[in-house]
Amino acid sequence: MIFLTKYIIITGGVVSSIGKGITSASIGRILRSYGLKVGAIKIDPYLNRDSGTLNPYQHGEVFVTYDGMECDLDLGHYERFLDVELPGVSNITTGKVYQSVIDKERKGEFLGACVQIIPHITDEIKSMVRKTSGIEDYDVVLIELGGTVGDIESQPFLEALRQLRNEEGHDNVMFVHVTFIPYLNAAGEFKTKPTQHSTKELRSTGINPDMIVCRSQEPIDEDFKRKIAHFCDVAPNAVVNAPDAPSIYEIPLTLANEDVGKFVADRINLDVDNESADLDQWKTTVKSLQKQDPVVTIAIIGKYIELEDSYISIRESLLHAAAEVGVKLDLKYISSDIDELNQNELKSLDGILIPGGFGERGVEGKLDAVEYAIVNELPIFGICLGMHSMVIQYARRNNMEDANSTEFNKDTNFPVIDLMEEQKKIKDMGGTMRLGSYDCKLIVDTKAYNSYNSKSVPNDEKQIEERHRHRYEFNNEFKDKLQEAGLVISGVSPDDFLVEIVELPDHPWFLGCQFHPEFKSRPNKAHPLFVSFMDAAAKYSKNNK
Ligand code: GLN
């Protein structure tokens, strides 16, 4: 029997950054509440093959999938909202599409044909969509098209998706257009015109939206919805309002209140009973995220702080952990790219998180933060470059004065962080890192082991699996020296070769990991390392107030 997957295609209009990803993920969450198997695809119409070489200031964090693809951050929303692990092929880019078509052309696979956007690029897009959807027997696959309708670069994708609807059948594919409704203070009213225009733009590609999600600062009323329905040629119950919410995790509940589940199920003939939708567990999660006290203040000390999206998975992981521990997170972003960290600002903290990063800029600030946390016994969590900073600073205070990573100083006498031999030969930047999931053995009776095997995680897990994205590693030449100085290695690769976690036993919470735990945290399943860190920060807060 051929498994029939239904598709929900999400486009955006009027302005970018209106939360298409969250809207799609929220629709997905509602469909999951019916017990359906839901997958997700993000299309990014840029020419980069993947997000790996993109500066975080461009599109925010680079999200890494278990199979090692460097993806758009929206995949993180999908994983968190749907509680799934998506394969890297779930992120389709113009770069991937063109590369694949050109590779085929070079191999002569087009048999002498003139290779064109239609049909070759559009066929490739549809084939990628179908291949990704076919990885599992999904009942529904969400396809989010990045950018805004009308962008030149999204044209081939819109055309391919229009064709997909014809080929799969109108009962199996629906389009959701997410738009922004501005409020004009001078006129004292919301305006429909930008939505009318962007819907018109979408229709000029041959696509009629089936549903319009109106993003607005405040809720819009029924009359306003009717006006949009009238001008944009959709049913009145197909106009849905998603006003700004205090937490992104509330959006599935907002959309459920607007009967989105029923509308979608009817529109693409999903075999579900509306009564069976069960968002109770999600409601409990949202409630736990609303705790107002006690407040625990954590700072992310990094160099990409001007754009909060650069650390989005870390922020979400901290929020999940705060909910699990029963505290309210007060999150600060402190630049590590300054001459001196502000001591008063550091004094107000209950914990420091040093995130990953690339390049020398801002590293000295991170080292200062590590020193501060050691001296003041302040909980500190280092991730990837954060762990490198911890190892470097610990070495420096233990008679290895100019200790460094060879990423920043090739001539250091103490290259405590260095490239692996096989990495040294690589010249290209894209996809040359240790990427994706790797196993890690935990050493019993360490903070790391105890975090993964705590009251809330009552098992005896000695081997974990976490995602990586880095070139440099802990240099084993300095293992003995650092261990003698008191550093404990609490996680290693299964062959004992690579150091994955380091910690200090006589410190309330000083732990650095080579991997990125933030990619595996879920609102309903906070990551054990984040929970343990938050717990230590909460204790620090209690003892110091
Ligand atoms: N720049 C470091 C490396 O390449 C750390 C990378 C990271 O923090 N993700 O190893």
Side-chain angles (χ1 to χ4, degrees):
M1 191 188 97
I2 294 178
F3 194 85
L4 183 65
T5 299
K6 311 265 178 168
Y7 295 97
I8 302 177
I9 299 166
I10 297 99
T11 55
V14 183
V15 287
S16 58
S17 309
I18 43 171
K20 270 197 315 289
I22 303 286
T23 306
S24 322
S26 299
I27 295 175
R29 182 72 244 172
I30 294 172
L31 298 178
R32 287 269 282 146
S33 75
Y34 287 112
L36 296 171
K37 197 159 179 191
V38 184
I41 295 176
K42 171 74 196 289
I43 296 178
D44 282 302
Y46 47 65
L47 275 160
N48 302 64
R49 194 183 167 282
D50 56 50
S51 322
T53 53
L54 279 172
N55 185 318
Y57 286 130
Q58 291 277 323
H59 286 274
E61 147 191 300
V62 175
F63 186 81
V64 182
T65 54
Y66 67 86
D67 57 354
M69 184 61 77
E70 297 169 284
C71 293
D72 182 78
L73 60 79
D74 274 321
L75 256 69
H77 291 313
Y78 289 120
E79 291 210 349
R80 288 186 282 270
F81 276 67
L82 302 177
D83 195 9
V84 290
E85 299 218 306
L86 295 169
V89 286
S90 310
N91 196 185
I92 298 176
T93 63
T94 299
K96 281 187 196 171
V97 173
Y98 275 72
Q99 191 172 48
S100 172
V101 169
I102 291 168
D103 285 349
K104 287 181 186 163
E105 186 271 335
R106 291 290 84 188
K107 286 188 202 138
E109 284 184 25
F110 296 114
L111 306 173
C114 171
V115 182
Q116 295 182 297
I117 296 197
I118 301 173
H120 301 99
I121 293 294
T122 45
D123 281 354
E124 186 66 31
I125 294 168
K126 285 181 289 177
S127 148
M128 284 184 168
V129 164
R130 289 192 172 109
K131 225 186 266 163
T132 304
S133 310
I135 287 178
E136 299 219 24
D137 285 344
Y138 291 119
D139 298 305
V140 183
V141 170
L142 304 153
I143 306 175
E144 179 198 346
L145 176 59
T148 309
V149 165
D151 298 344
I152 288 178
E153 49 198 5
S154 53
Q155 297 296 328
F157 290 103
L158 284 169
E159 171 58 17
L161 295 169
R162 185 192 65 76
Q163 292 173 15
L164 186 82
R165 166 144 84 174
N166 281 347
E167 291 167 19
E168 297 292 321
H170 282 234
D171 288 347
N172 301 320
V173 181
M174 74 177 280
F175 282 87
V176 177
H177 193 47
V178 184
T179 73
F180 178 63
I181 308 290
Y183 182 83
L184 282 196
N185 275 333
E189 58 181 9
F190 288 111
K191 289 290 177 189
T192 62
K193 197 69 83 185
T195 296
Q196 290 182 45
H197 279 293
S198 92
T199 307
K200 198 169 148 204
E201 185 76 42
L202 182 60
R203 289 167 74 185
S204 73
T205 67
I207 296 168
N208 276 9
D210 299 287
M211 177 188 277
I212 296 184
V213 177
C214 300
R215 290 277 298 108
S216 54
Q217 279 171 326
E218 299 291 332
I220 55 172
D221 63 21
E222 291 303 314
D223 273 353
F224 191 86
K225 284 187 188 175
R226 267 192 293 277
K227 195 170 167 192
I228 300 241
H230 181 68
F231 282 113
C232 299
D233 194 26
V234 294
N237 63 341
V239 180
V240 166
N241 187 204
D244 289 351
S247 155
I248 53 172
Y249 300 109
E250 286 181 27
I251 307 295
L253 306 178
T254 309
L255 296 186
N257 279 341
E258 298 269 293
D259 279 337
V260 165
K262 182 171 173 1
F263 185 90
V264 170
D266 289 348
R267 172 62 194 78
I268 51 176
N269 293 336
L270 293 172
D271 188 15
V272 291
D273 160 14
N274 210 32
E275 303 303 310
S276 69
D278 182 10
L279 280 165
D280 284 353
Q281 213 203 350
W282 193 259
K283 281 183 195 148
T284 311
T285 302
V286 170
K287 212 159 167 224
S288 66
L289 286 156
Q290 285 163 345
K291 197 134 196 305
Q292 291 306 312
D293 56 78
V295 174
V296 172
T297 310
I298 306 281
I300 295 180
I301 305 193
K303 70 171 170 179
Y304 308 119
I305 57 154
E306 285 86 356
L307 184 69
E308 277 191 30
D309 275 359
S310 305
Y311 300 119
I312 192 164
S313 288
I314 291 182
R315 182 187 71 200
E316 296 308 306
S317 303
L318 289 169
L319 282 167
H320 306 159
E324 168 87 30
V325 172
V327 297
K328 166 144 183 97
L329 172 69
D330 171 21
L331 182 58
K332 294 194 170 5
Y333 294 87
I334 298 180
S335 174
S336 60
D337 187 20
I338 45 173
D339 291 338
E340 216 173 310
L341 295 172
N342 178 331
Q343 296 293 311
N344 279 339
E345 201 167 18
L346 294 177
K347 272 189 203 130
S348 70
L349 304 178
D350 303 316
I352 290 177
L353 192 145
I354 316 251
F358 293 83
E360 194 177 4
R361 186 169 69 82
V363 169
E364 291 299 322
K366 292 183 177 176
L367 299 182
D368 289 349
V370 173
E371 180 65 20
Y372 179 91
I374 294 177
V375 173
N376 294 285
E377 303 210 317
L378 179 68
I380 181 164
F381 188 5
I383 295 177
C384 208
L385 184 60
M387 169 195 146
H388 295 178
S389 308
M390 286 167 138
V391 173
I392 294 167
Q393 188 59 21
Y394 199 69
R396 286 189 185 180
R397 21 170 38 239
N398 284 285
N399 306 322
M400 293 175 249
E401 288 79 20
D402 77 333
N404 217 329
S405 161
T406 50
E407 183 179 5
F408 316 124
N409 178 5
K410 301 242 173 318
D411 304 319
T412 167
N413 291 310
F414 302 98
V416 288
I417 305 291
D418 197 8
L419 281 181
M420 296 282 96
E421 277 311 311
E422 63 270 27
Q423 303 277 76
K424 291 185 179 161
K425 298 175 207 121
I426 299 171
K427 292 264 176 323
D428 277 357
M429 290 303 266
T432 57
M433 290 187 268
R434 182 144 84 104
L435 282 166
S437 270
Y438 285 86
D439 287 340
C440 164
K441 260 189 339 191
L442 297 173
I443 311 301
V444 180
D445 284 341
T446 57
K447 274 197 192 74
Y449 177 85
N450 292 339
S451 306
Y452 281 93
N453 298 281
S454 66
K455 255 197 271 104
S456 57
V457 195
N459 46 21
D460 182 22
E461 214 169 352
K462 294 199 180 73
Q463 185 141 318
I464 51 158
E465 205 183 54
E466 295 284 359
R467 301 184 198 173
H468 289 246
R469 180 174 184 249
H470 59 103
R471 293 189 181 84
Y472 293 80
E473 305 273 358
F474 182 103
N475 185 348
N476 284 335
E477 264 183 50
F478 295 92
K479 201 171 181 176
D480 290 346
K481 219 168 165 188
L482 283 161
Q483 279 178 321
E484 276 158 29
L487 193 72
V488 165
I489 290 166
S490 49
V492 287
S493 56
D495 60 2
D496 292 315
F497 187 64
L498 298 168
V499 170
E500 302 281 28
I501 315 178
V502 299
E503 59 184 72
L504 286 182
D506 298 328
H507 185 282
W509 214 88
F510 179 102
L511 185 146
C513 53
Q514 184 58 82
F515 47 79
H516 290 269
E518 70 270 26
F519 297 137
K520 287 181 75 173
S521 182
R522 303 283 185 264
N524 53 333
K525 257 183 263 155
H527 190 285
L529 288 179
F530 279 91
V531 173
S532 174
F533 168 61
M534 190 60 69
D535 205 37
K539 287 196 181 100
Y540 181 93
S541 169
K542 213 164 143 197
N543 297 337
N544 288 279
K545 277 187 187 135

